Amino acid sequence: MSDKKTHNILNSMHIQHAHDRENDRTDTGSFPVVRKKPKQIGGGIITRLMTSLLIVLLCALLGFGYAIQLNNKTSSYETMSEEELTRLISETSTQVQNLQQRKTELTGQLNSLKASANKQQEAQRIAKENEDTSGILSGRLPAEGKGIIITISQGSKERIDAATMFQLVEELRNAGVEVMALDNVRVVTSTYISDTKKGLECDGQALKTPYEVKAIGDPQNLANAVNIAGGVGSRFKVKFGADVTVTQSESVDISETRDVGQYQYAKTVE
């Protein structure tokens, strides 16, 4: 390469470097410096820690409650005898049958009302029918039907208490009793039994031994509710030393009635 060409190349490089230095000195504008925000070590960590602890605590409480509920259900059935489980199944089946029967009756009344040409007359007939049913349930009207009669003698060991007598009433209800009377007192939903110095009282009326319970319903189911091993009938005999006699009958007459109660708070829905 000639000295002239070499000189030209070096000259061109020198000029280019001069232009580059000039461009570097040119103001092209500047951007604001964005500084990173310092991390808030105190407040952020405490907030997250408290939130985590709260979530863990809620999960623990929910798990504990579920475990307790599961254990209670399991233990309640596991500790029941075969006779008690059989009675529970029988009582549940009876309640289901009663509800299904009531549903069928109401459905039949509704269909009859829809199909009737004289709807007003049919509505009056249904109202009368329901009035009779509610009159029996409320104790306002006497009733008759198949069922059982229970006779309970005075206890030879100790006096029969109100709790056990009320347990008998509840067992009969669970077995599907429709109408019931205890001595001369008609048993209704608000009936209570209490202990007094002289003996038992039912809805404020004194009861005398031997106690007599008249119950209308399926005779076999009602008798099983009293006579089942380990049931309320056994309690009368073992704890109190009382004799319990259950007689099934095709015609139990419950003539005891009671006036309709005056409700202070409850009102019918128009």
Side-chain angles (χ1 to χ4, degrees):
M1 181 180 295
S2 62
D3 294 339
K4 185 177 181 179
K5 289 182 177 180
T6 301
H7 177 73
N8 291 336
I9 292 173
L10 291 174
N11 189 35
S12 298
M13 292 177 63
H14 179 74
I15 294 172
Q16 182 63 40
H17 288 163
H19 282 301
D20 291 341
R21 288 194 298 269
E22 183 68 22
N23 290 335
D24 290 340
R25 289 193 298 268
T26 303
D27 293 334
T28 57
S30 61
F31 296 94
V33 177
V34 180
R35 299 181 182 275
K36 294 183 178 180
K37 294 183 178 180
K39 295 182 179 180
Q40 298 179 355
I41 300 178
I45 293 179
I46 293 177
T47 302
R48 289 195 296 272
L49 181 60
M50 293 299 294
T51 302
S52 300
L53 288 175
L54 181 60
I55 293 174
V56 172
L57 180 61
L58 290 176
C59 292
L61 289 175
L62 288 174
F64 180 74
Y66 177 76
I68 291 297
Q69 184 179 10
L70 184 62
N71 290 335
N72 286 341
K73 288 183 178 180
T74 303
S75 61
S76 62
Y77 289 111
E78 287 181 349
T79 56
M80 295 178 68
S81 64
E82 182 178 352
E83 291 80 4
E84 290 173 334
L85 289 172
T86 302
R87 181 183 61 183
L88 180 62
I89 294 173
S90 177
E91 292 174 354
T92 304
S93 299
T94 300
Q95 293 174 0
V96 171
Q97 291 175 1
N98 291 338
L99 291 175
Q100 186 63 41
Q101 180 180 357
R102 185 55 179 163
K103 177 185 176 182
T104 302
E105 293 174 356
L106 294 175
T107 302
Q109 291 178 354
L110 179 61
N111 294 335
S112 176
L113 183 60
K114 290 180 178 179
S116 176
N118 191 337
K119 297 186 181 302
Q120 183 176 2
Q121 182 178 358
E122 183 65 15
Q124 291 177 351
R125 184 192 68 80
I126 294 175
K128 180 63 170 59
E129 181 179 315
N130 290 334
E131 181 182 1
D132 293 340
T133 301
S134 62
I136 292 177
L137 295 177
S138 64
R140 182 172 50 85
L141 300 177
E144 184 270 336
K146 62 181 181 180
I148 63 173
I149 299 176
I150 308 168
T151 303
I152 306 170
S153 68
Q154 185 175 4
S156 59
K157 296 181 179 179
E158 58 180 289
R159 192 169 62 184
I160 296 174
D161 58 18
T164 305
M165 187 62 72
F166 191 77
Q167 181 185 354
L168 172 62
V169 172
E170 289 299 295
E171 293 293 349
L172 292 173
R173 283 173 173 167
N174 293 336
V177 69
E178 296 179 353
V179 186
M180 188 172 11
L182 177 53
D183 280 0
N184 59 340
V185 181
R186 182 71 169 267
V187 177
V188 294
T189 55
S190 59
T191 290
Y192 68 90
I193 302 173
S194 59
D195 293 303
T196 67
K197 294 181 179 180
K198 296 182 179 181
L200 297 180
E201 281 189 357
C202 181
D203 291 344
Q205 298 188 39
L207 303 179
K208 297 180 180 181
T209 55
Y211 304 114
E212 183 183 69
V213 180
K214 294 182 291 185
I216 295 177
D218 184 281
Q220 190 61 50
N221 288 342
L222 298 179
N224 290 340
V226 181
N227 294 329
I228 191 169
V232 65
S234 299
R235 182 177 176 84
F236 280 120
K237 298 175 183 178
V238 174
K239 181 178 180 179
F240 304 103
D243 294 326
V244 180
T245 303
V246 179
T247 304
Q248 299 187 30
S249 174
E250 289 297 319
S251 179
V252 177
D253 181 23
I254 299 181
S255 57
E256 293 82 3
T257 59
R258 60 194 305 161
D259 297 332
V260 179
Q262 298 297 323
Y263 297 98
Q264 182 178 356
Y265 302 103
K267 298 180 180 179
T268 57
V269 179
E270 298 296 339

